[in-house]
Amino acid sequence: MSSILQSFSLAGRTALLTGSSAGIGLALARGLAGAGARVILNARSVDKLERAAAALRAEGAQVETAAFDVTSGEAVAAAVARIEAEVGPIDILVNNAGMQRRAPLDQFAEADWHELMKTNLDSVFLVGQAVARHMMTRRRGKIINICSVQSELGRPGIAPYMASKGAVKMLTKGMAIDWGPHGIQVNGLGPGYFKTELTQALVDNTEFTQWLVNRTPARRWGDVEDLVGAAVFLSSEASNFVNGHVLYVDGGVTAQL
């Protein structure tokens, strides 16, 4: 039994998590740190990063910070090179940075479309490629791309978001195909509806919450802690033969029509 549990340990591993100063990203960082990893938090705001890092350090976590724009190829390349040289090899990458814009598709602004795609899709390609190039030389690595139930299902008013997350799902599979022969496992983690700062308005909407609870077999919103076990699994040796898979943590939403 001890050897099985050992395969889930992240002791001695370093994990970079994009968009991890709050919400799901911070919860995943806390979870990976709890499994033994040294975590590198990323966001554009230095102040938010330092507050998040201080909170994790107070809990005993090993934490570094890296403030850079994940939508800029130049910034990403420089940051990844600096981390590899000064902090150490990146063993685990979690591409979590993302955003949402809501509007009827016929009224969706072109500028908002490009901003959303850059944040949700381009960043996964840019950071994934930069980190994978180092992982390939070491012939090992774990990459987790944060997908969504909207990688599979739709809702009114969020068609561009759905397009971006559907693309992340397929990019995940493409990464697994191209980088699998180099010892890298690339998988997706697909959250359902979770209570975070970004969804608070929906949580507070009684009508929406009632619809969601009735639509979800688990009959509740997700708590960010519900994602941690899946993230640790996909980051650990326990998932060494899992590649190109999207693991939905959604209370059963994608299972029910």
Side-chain angles (χ1 to χ4, degrees), residues 57-243:
R57 289 184 185 119
E59 298 168 8
Q62 301 178 69
V63 186
E64 306 287 341
T65 60
F68 63 92
D69 182 357
V70 294
T71 69
S72 164
E74 183 177 346
V76 167
V80 170
R82 181 187 65 78
I83 292 169
E84 287 275 337
E86 298 178 8
V87 179
I90 299 170
D91 303 295
I92 302 158
L93 168 64
V94 181
N95 277 312
N96 172 74
M99 66 178 301
Q100 176 66 287
R101 289 282 186 268
R102 299 176 185 275
L105 188 56
D106 56 293
Q107 300 171 32
F108 206 89
E110 181 180 350
D112 288 343
W113 168 275
H114 291 302
E115 181 186 22
L116 189 148
M117 289 298 168
K118 284 177 64 178
T119 304
N120 291 3
L121 179 59
D122 292 5
S123 68
V124 177
F125 164 71
L126 293 171
V127 184
Q129 183 187 66
V131 171
R133 285 170 172 164
H134 292 276
M135 290 178 170
M136 289 168 72
T137 64
R138 296 188 286 267
R139 298 197 60 78
R140 62 180 175 82
K142 301 281 186 174
I143 298 177
I144 303 172
N145 297 328
I146 302 302
C147 298
S148 167
V149 290
Q150 267 79 47
S151 297
E152 301 290 343
L153 305 174
R155 285 281 297 162
I158 58 168
Y161 181 83
M162 291 157 50
S164 72
K165 288 301 185 177
V168 170
K169 178 184 76 170
M170 295 311 297
L171 181 56
T172 298
K173 293 177 182 291
M175 288 176 167
I177 293 165
D178 282 8
W179 298 337
H182 300 280
I184 302 170
Q185 291 83 54
V186 187
N187 293 288
L189 183 60
Y193 285 86
F194 280 77
K195 291 183 287 186
T196 69
E197 299 94 326
L198 296 179
T199 60
Q200 192 59 51
L202 292 176
V203 174
D204 295 338
N205 184 319
T206 304
E207 183 179 356
F208 181 86
T209 289
Q210 189 61 52
W211 169 84
L212 176 65
V213 169
N214 289 336
R215 174 71 173 74
T216 306
R219 295 294 186 264
R220 66 176 176 87
W221 280 84
D223 296 312
V224 289
E225 292 76 17
D226 292 323
L227 291 163
V228 169
V232 170
F233 167 65
L234 293 177
S235 299
S236 72
E237 292 182 358
S239 62
N240 278 353
F241 203 55
V242 180
N243 214 1

